[in-house]
DNA sequence: CACCGTTTTCCTGGTT
DNA sequence: CAACCAGGAAAACGGT
């Protein structure tokens, strides 16, 4: 049923069957507590559990077997496209889940955020100089971080629209090709019509300090840092 | 309610 | 001159 090699972690025997059969978040959390994930880079949190469960389900396994076999000679995965697909699948399911949670949180009868959005849209407002000055926003309820968004663009050419492309895939360097486009895409994601590349790039620069991105020479060029995960083509540690 | 992390907004100054 | 880059500062906002 479950393909151990498809998951970016080692799992102990019997774990996956339990995982797939766990009905509630609490059950899943309890189960996860018994698993030591310290050996892996992947940072698992509760929200990932439904997707881990999905990966172990018959639904997932029906069409995908022998994913991510490792070459004995090179030690590198020979079926990387499958792994990329897998990551994309997990990402999609995660997003759907996030949307679902969001929808449950928002009572359609009292659409506070919709109201807020319409205010934002219909009322550019007679701003006083001060009002105009600071109108920040935090991360969205969709829980997608900017760097993950960029990573997903790099991994999903169909969404990408050539806004960003790999400069050196192995090094993790990438280049923003269309700065306006990527800002627009990010703005769509965050439902923020005021997003532009200036602001997006400032947000990217904040990642230098946390190690998610590293500085590299060259305009519009960035590099994934040690704290970034899921972007690698061959990640033996994850494939085990 | 306080605090934290992330992102947004704005800004100044420097570089390509 | 336009487009970027580097960061500081402050604020917004979701999550805990």
């Amino acid at each position: 049923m479950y393909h151990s090699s498809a998951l970016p972690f080692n799992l102990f025997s019997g774990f996956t069957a339990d995982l797939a059969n766990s009905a509630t978040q609490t059950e899943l959390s309890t189960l996860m507590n018994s698993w030591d994930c310290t050996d892996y880079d992947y940072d698992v949190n509760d929200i990932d559990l439904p997707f881990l469960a999905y990966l172990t389900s018959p639904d997932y396994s029906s069409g995908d077997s022998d994913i991510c076999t490792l070459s004995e000679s090179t030690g590198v995965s020979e079926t990387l496209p499958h792994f990329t697909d897998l990551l994309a699948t997990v990402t999609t399911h995660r997003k759907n889940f996030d949307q679902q949670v969001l929808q449950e949180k928002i009572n359609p009868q009292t659409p506070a955020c919709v109201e807020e959005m319409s205010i934002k849209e219909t009322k550019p407002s007679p701003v006083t100089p001060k009002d105009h000055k600071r109108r920040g926003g935090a991360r969205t309820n969709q829980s997608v971080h900017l760097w993950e968004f960029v990573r997903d663009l790099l991994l999903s050419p169909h969404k990408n629209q050539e806004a960003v492309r790999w400069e050196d895939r192995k090094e993790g360097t990438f280049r923003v090709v269309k700065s306006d486009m990527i800002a627009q895409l990010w703005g769509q994601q965050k439902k923020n019509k005021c997003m532009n590349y200036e602001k997006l790039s400032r947000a990217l620069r904040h990642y230098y300090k946390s190690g998610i991105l590293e500085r590299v020479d060259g305009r519009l060029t960035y590099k994934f840092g040690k704290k970034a995960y899921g972007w690698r083509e061959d990640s033996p540690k994850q494939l085990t």
Side-chain angles (χ1 to χ4, degrees):
Chain A
M1 275 312 180
Y2 136 77
H3 308 289
S4 59
S5 56
L7 294 173
F9 350 89
N10 279 334
L11 300 173
F12 54 78
S13 173
F15 175 86
T16 53
D18 292 341
L19 184 57
N21 291 328
S22 297
T24 67
Q25 194 79 0
T26 310
E27 286 176 50
L28 286 166
S29 296
T30 307
L31 185 61
M32 291 297 280
N33 285 338
S34 60
W35 171 50
D36 179 12
C37 61
T38 52
D39 285 344
Y40 307 95
D41 282 334
Y42 193 88
D43 182 24
V44 177
N45 54 49
D46 282 355
I47 207 166
D48 291 319
L49 295 171
F51 315 107
L52 289 170
Y54 168 74
L55 288 175
T56 69
S57 72
D59 181 39
Y60 175 75
S61 62
S62 60
D64 303 83
S65 56
D66 302 320
I67 290 172
C68 295
T69 54
L70 294 179
S71 159
E72 284 185 14
S73 54
T74 63
V76 174
S77 173
E78 292 178 326
T79 51
L80 291 172
H82 294 293
F83 188 67
T84 306
D85 288 345
L86 171 73
L87 286 177
T89 304
V90 175
T91 304
T92 302
H93 277 256
R94 181 174 177 147
K95 277 177 183 164
N96 290 343
F97 179 79
D98 290 343
Q99 286 289 349
Q100 220 173 308
V101 169
L102 181 62
Q103 284 306 315
E104 283 166 10
K105 280 183 181 171
I106 301 170
N107 181 342
Q109 303 304 317
T110 55
C113 70
V114 172
E115 203 177 302
E116 191 183 49
M117 277 165 56
S118 67
I119 287 170
K120 201 174 174 182
E121 278 182 28
T122 59
K123 207 172 117 190
S125 78
V127 281
T128 66
K130 263 192 178 169
D131 287 339
H132 180 65
K133 225 182 165 189
R134 307 258 180 241
R135 300 171 88 201
R139 43 181 312 186
T140 67
N141 1 24
Q142 284 150 347
S143 259
V144 179
H145 291 177
L146 173 57
W147 75 269
E148 293 171 318
F149 170 79
V150 173
R151 177 198 65 192
D152 292 346
L153 280 184
L154 286 161
L155 297 175
S156 313
H158 63 286
K159 286 188 229 162
N160 193 334
Q161 301 177 308
E162 273 289 297
V164 56
R165 68 164 172 241
W166 290 109
E167 191 77 348
D168 186 329
R169 178 71 194 266
K170 282 189 175 164
E171 289 289 312
T173 56
F174 57 93
R175 192 152 58 89
V176 172
V177 182
K178 297 176 186 169
S179 56
D180 288 343
M181 173 74 79
I182 195 170
Q184 194 187 319
L185 291 170
W186 179 237
Q188 277 171 19
Q189 174 81 29
K190 299 294 292 283
K191 298 181 173 60
N192 178 356
K193 289 181 177 174
C194 302
M195 182 49 60
N196 57 32
Y197 183 70
E198 274 287 296
K199 296 178 208 171
L200 183 149
S201 63
R202 180 69 192 96
L204 288 176
R205 290 196 295 275
H206 275 304
Y207 290 133
Y208 293 149
K209 209 168 183 179
S210 57
I212 288 169
L213 292 181
E214 292 173 14
R215 285 184 198 81
V216 288
D217 289 338
R219 295 184 121 197
L220 301 168
T221 309
Y222 300 87
K223 178 181 181 177
F224 287 119
K226 292 191 173 84
K227 293 285 178 63
Y229 54 83
W231 58 269
R232 282 178 201 282
E233 198 168 29
D234 50 342
S235 189
K237 194 175 180 183
Q238 290 184 343
L239 299 177
T240 5

